[in-house]
Amino acid sequence: MDEDSPFLTNSSRNGATTPNNGSRLDMSSFNNQHNNGALLGGVQPRDRLHYRRSSFTPLFDRDDSGICEGAIEKYINDPIHGHVLLDANTLSCIDTPQFQRLRDLKQLGSAYYVFPGATHNRFEHSIGTSHLAGELVERFRDTQPELEISASDVKCVKLAGLCHDLGHGPFSHVFDNEFIPRAIPGSNWTHEQGSEMMLEYLVDDNHVDIDREEINFIKDLIMGERRGNSQRHAFLFDIVSNKRNSLDVDKYDYLQRDCYNVGIKSSIDCSRLMKMSRVIDDQICWHHKEVYNLYELYHTRFSLFKRVYTHRVGKAIEYMLTDALLAADSVMGISQAIFHGDQYLHLTDDIIRQIERSREPGLEDSKAILKRIRTRNLYKFVDELLIPREKLGILTKENINSAEIVSCQGSNDHLQQEDVIVEFLKNNYAMKDQNPVDGIKFFSKTNHSVSYHIPKEKVSSLIPSEFQENIIRVFSRDPTKVRAVHEAFRRLMSRFYRTSDGSSNLPPSSTSPYYNSRNTTPESANAYAASWMQQQNRQSSPTRYLGNSSGGSVKRRDRSPSPLSGRRVRSSSGLKSLGDGVMDISDN
């Protein structure tokens, strides 16, 4: 964010400015030539005072920091949205410790350890969301006056966009999705609840001029649902947090901002989507020409989850951060801060620095985990399996967990439950297994007052038929036990892939570190594994001596890649290949 931008004062709106010496400077000729909307990107709504400036404001009456004393609004330069106007209500919340805390929360949490460009924070995302929320609600006000959108509506929608992420904890979703459920079992706490708490604290602590009804309305906007006896328009609750179809300004901002910072090219144009929308029957609807662009937006979200948010190394670091926070919780009381705004205020990504600096003896385990992150001695990804739809009711957390995997270990593996992490991952189009576009209504260019649905069959034959994938992932906390965990996991999974003749049709894992590119089918994988087992049985040592022409011997080390460990669990007669170099333990 670049805050080196001029304030627009009341005097400058009238075509003149007042330099420091008090004399007036006539800028009318300059205005006529140079200020025909170019500074603000073209034609803007007519009844927006700050969008129809009749003058250009030189950089007078400001200090060296670019801040003009006494001004009630200012512009900042955002890399995603360009010059963004911050009005007095917005600034009254931004210039508080509760909002400035967001500067110390990485937007993508642990993904920064994988994508070095992901340095952006919740601070700029929240400002961007507020900007888009204001743009959208003001556009509805200007183009559809029959909606009777009030100044209070505009104010609260913008503040909801600004404050919707106040409740995020250290490393964003790591805190509420991973840490809190394990630190406080049975808790249903979410960061939205934290945002409500921090909003109350912000208003009370800084004496922000806002009444109780507006505070409750902002809370409802953050949650995306009307609670109590609010008489506000229903469509307003879909701007910041849309529960109908998950299409909201929060998503508009983070999709563009995350793609920009991690270096992923994206074709989505959220500004166009906003311009091609209108309110019909108290619901936000889109022009029918935008239907395919909306599918593209949801696919971009899915792609970011697949490639960035759930990156296997990033997830491994997430589990390490979670374990480090859990190990420090009894000493530092981290989890209890969610109930106290004054404590939560100081809970940011800097918590790991506090742990590392501390000399408390009870933090040694936590510090050891953090040192592993610093030295890149990470938890290791072991394997993953895409769950077919027909097995969703079988491959559940009750059947696939660390205890079950450990029960399938070999006799000399010495695995413990704490060595194994099992993750059930769901990647989708933002509405679980449903098509989100089914919840969107459209209007035609010939009739702006009637809305309707567009079935995906009328959009493209390449629209997916399923909108959620379910994946089981396995990690090992001990890098030396990756192979043992992998073999135990494959043995467990083979139980659920038995055929009528007793053989296993467990698909080979293309993501396993022991996968060989030649093993593209179960049959080839099994044959390759069997040949390696025979080779290992013939060799008593990995070092062989070969005769040479001079009658001596040449020492040569076998460098060929092996999908197996070279260690037999039982005799060869008691082993059955399961593919990927894993041998089953037969019941003899």
Side-chain angles (χ1 to χ4, degrees):
M1 290 282 184
D2 177 15
E3 299 189 0
D4 188 18
S5 51
F7 287 98
L8 300 177
T9 60
N10 291 328
S11 61
S12 66
R13 295 171 185 154
N14 299 322
T17 57
T18 304
N20 291 335
N21 57 14
S23 62
R24 295 181 63 82
L25 179 65
D26 185 5
M27 299 293 294
S28 57
S29 62
F30 183 89
N31 297 337
N32 294 335
Q33 299 176 29
H34 301 283
N35 198 44
N36 294 324
L39 289 176
L40 297 178
V43 179
Q44 302 293 337
R46 289 189 300 273
D47 57 351
R48 291 278 302 280
L49 180 60
H50 60 271
Y51 272 112
R52 46 188 179 89
R53 307 296 188 191
S54 60
S55 64
F56 171 76
T57 307
L59 303 183
F60 295 127
D61 289 341
R62 72 169 195 172
D63 58 25
D64 292 337
S65 67
I67 299 178
C68 182
E69 295 183 0
I72 60 173
E73 57 187 27
K74 73 176 188 178
Y75 284 93
I76 60 172
N77 190 12
D78 179 70
I80 306 302
H81 308 300
H83 287 86
V84 174
L85 177 71
L86 305 179
D87 59 26
N89 292 319
T90 304
L91 287 172
S92 67
C93 292
I94 290 177
D95 296 334
T96 64
Q98 290 77 13
F99 189 84
Q100 293 293 320
R101 166 182 175 270
L102 299 182
R103 290 183 183 270
D104 300 319
L105 296 177
K106 287 285 188 295
Q107 173 77 11
L108 298 187
S110 63
Y112 171 62
Y113 290 92
V114 182
F115 298 89
T119 58
H120 55 306
N121 302 314
R122 293 280 165 184
F123 179 84
E124 51 263 41
H125 163 63
S126 297
I127 291 179
T129 303
S130 176
H131 166 70
L132 293 180
E135 290 286 295
L136 188 58
V137 71
E138 287 170 348
R139 181 181 177 279
F140 292 150
R141 180 196 63 189
D142 298 339
T143 60
Q144 296 182 259
E146 68 276 7
L147 296 176
E148 298 181 347
I149 297 175
S150 67
S152 177
D153 291 336
V154 175
K155 169 187 174 182
C156 291
V157 167
K158 294 171 72 173
L159 291 181
L162 187 73
C163 299
H164 78 286
D165 274 351
L166 285 178
H168 268 295
F171 301 98
S172 294
H173 290 291
V174 174
F175 189 79
D176 55 337
N177 290 347
E178 302 292 343
F179 171 71
I180 290 297
R182 293 175 60 187
I184 310 177
S187 172
N188 59 356
W189 184 88
T190 65
H191 75 271
E192 288 88 358
Q193 295 173 356
S195 294
E196 292 188 11
M197 176 187 72
M198 293 303 289
L199 175 63
E200 292 275 6
Y201 182 39
L202 182 153
V203 172
D204 294 341
D205 190 48
N206 300 278
H207 309 291
V208 177
D209 185 17
I210 184 171
D211 61 46
R212 170 52 53 185
E213 190 275 334
E214 289 181 328
I215 292 176
N216 292 335
F217 179 41
I218 293 172
K219 288 182 179 180
D220 291 350
L221 291 172
I222 291 174
M223 297 299 293
E225 57 186 6
R226 192 197 317 235
R227 298 176 294 188
N229 299 319
S230 175
Q231 300 301 313
R232 308 272 186 159
H233 298 292
F235 74 87
L236 295 174
F237 298 89
D238 295 338
I239 293 178
V240 176
S241 179
N242 192 337
K243 297 298 177 62
R244 296 180 197 259
N245 47 53
S246 192
L247 191 59
D248 48 48
V249 294
D250 178 27
K251 193 170 278 78
Y252 288 163
D253 184 85
Y254 80 69
L255 290 180
Q256 295 179 98
R257 195 174 301 277
D258 292 352
C259 285
Y260 175 84
N261 282 278
V262 301
I264 292 179
K265 304 299 182 183
S266 172
S267 61
I268 59 173
D269 186 356
C270 293
S271 61
R272 174 182 170 88
L273 290 174
M274 291 174 60
K275 288 181 174 64
M276 302 293 278
S277 63
R278 63 183 287 106
V279 177
I280 303 175
D281 297 331
D282 219 7
Q283 180 177 344
I284 301 175
C285 305
W286 280 263
H287 195 286
H288 70 95
K289 292 172 61 176
E290 300 306 305
V291 60
Y292 188 75
N293 291 333
L294 292 177
Y295 275 108
E296 281 290 294
L297 182 143
Y298 287 114
H299 182 76
T300 298
R301 178 192 181 274
F302 169 79
S303 180
L304 279 171
F305 269 85
K306 187 80 170 177
R307 301 162 63 185
V308 179
Y309 306 152
T310 61
H311 190 283
R312 63 180 65 168
V313 178
K315 292 296 291 186
I317 296 176
E318 276 192 17
Y319 290 121
M320 297 185 76
L321 291 170
T322 302
D323 287 349
L325 295 177
L326 288 169
D329 190 33
S330 60
V331 177
M332 305 182 70
I334 300 171
S335 60
Q336 295 305 307
I338 65 175
F339 305 111
H340 309 282
D342 56 340
Q343 298 178 25
Y344 202 66
L345 174 65
H346 303 289
L347 192 59
T348 65
D349 292 353
D350 189 60
I351 185 67
I352 64 172
R353 291 289 190 184
Q354 297 179 35
I355 295 172
E356 291 174 322
R357 288 192 299 264
S358 176
R359 297 185 179 181
E360 285 284 342
L363 296 177
E364 293 305 319
D365 290 342
S366 180
K367 292 165 74 172
I369 296 173
L370 295 177
K371 185 175 182 180
R372 287 185 60 180
I373 296 177
R374 301 295 190 192
T375 58
R376 212 65 179 181
N377 181 23
L378 307 178
Y379 295 172
K380 294 300 182 181
F381 169 81
V382 174
D383 202 355
E384 71 176 25
L385 185 69
L386 186 66
I387 306 177
R389 175 181 289 272
E390 62 272 13
K391 292 187 180 293
L392 286 176
I394 301 175
L395 301 179
T396 62
K397 294 181 180 180
E398 290 72 25
N399 296 327
I400 311 297
N401 52 58
S402 58
E404 293 294 332
I405 292 176
V406 169
S407 69
C408 295
Q409 66 178 302
S411 58
N412 298 317
D413 288 339
H414 308 295
L415 292 179
Q416 303 294 326
Q417 287 192 35
E418 55 269 22
D419 294 328
V420 182
I421 300 173
V422 180
E423 175 189 27
F424 280 77
L425 182 65
K426 295 181 179 180
N427 288 334
N428 51 49
Y429 271 34
M431 294 295 291
K432 297 184 178 179
D433 60 349
Q434 302 299 309
N435 180 358
V437 181
D438 287 343
I440 297 177
K441 288 188 175 182
F442 299 88
F443 59 89
S444 68
K445 63 181 179 180
T446 58
N447 191 341
H448 290 183
S449 60
V450 176
S451 62
Y452 54 90
H453 294 283
I454 299 179
K456 68 184 183 70
E457 291 78 13
K458 293 187 177 182
V459 180
S460 172
S461 59
L462 299 182
I463 299 297
S465 58
E466 296 187 13
F467 296 90
Q468 177 170 277
E469 64 177 17
N470 297 270
I471 300 173
I472 299 175
R473 274 184 175 177
V474 180
F475 296 84
S476 173
R477 287 188 171 91
D478 187 345
T480 66
K481 297 182 179 181
V482 172
R483 186 183 299 277
V485 175
H486 174 252
E487 293 178 353
F489 173 66
R490 299 295 290 185
R491 293 189 190 105
L492 174 62
M493 296 306 300
S494 69
R495 297 177 181 175
F496 304 94
Y497 282 84
R498 296 290 186 188
T499 60
S500 57
D501 60 357
S503 61
S504 173
N505 62 353
L506 178 65
S509 173
S510 61
T511 59
S512 168
Y514 304 108
Y515 172 77
N516 187 287
S517 60
R518 290 172 289 181
N519 303 337
T520 55
T521 65
E523 292 78 12
S524 61
N526 292 344
Y528 187 62
S531 67
W532 263 103
M533 176 58 73
Q534 295 175 2
Q535 180 180 350
Q536 293 298 318
N537 290 341
R538 289 196 301 264
Q539 295 177 358
S540 59
S541 170
T543 302
R544 293 178 289 171
Y545 290 88
L546 305 177
N548 59 19
S549 58
S550 62
S553 61
V554 177
K555 184 177 181 180
R556 189 177 78 181
R557 188 170 299 277
D558 190 354
R559 293 187 177 90
S560 54
S562 171
L564 301 176
S565 64
R567 169 181 44 79
R568 289 182 296 170
V569 179
R570 295 187 182 180
S571 64
S572 57
S573 60
L575 297 177
K576 181 186 296 183
S577 174
L578 298 176
D580 289 334
V582 180
M583 309 305 291
D584 193 12
I585 303 177
S586 302
D587 296 327
N588 293 333

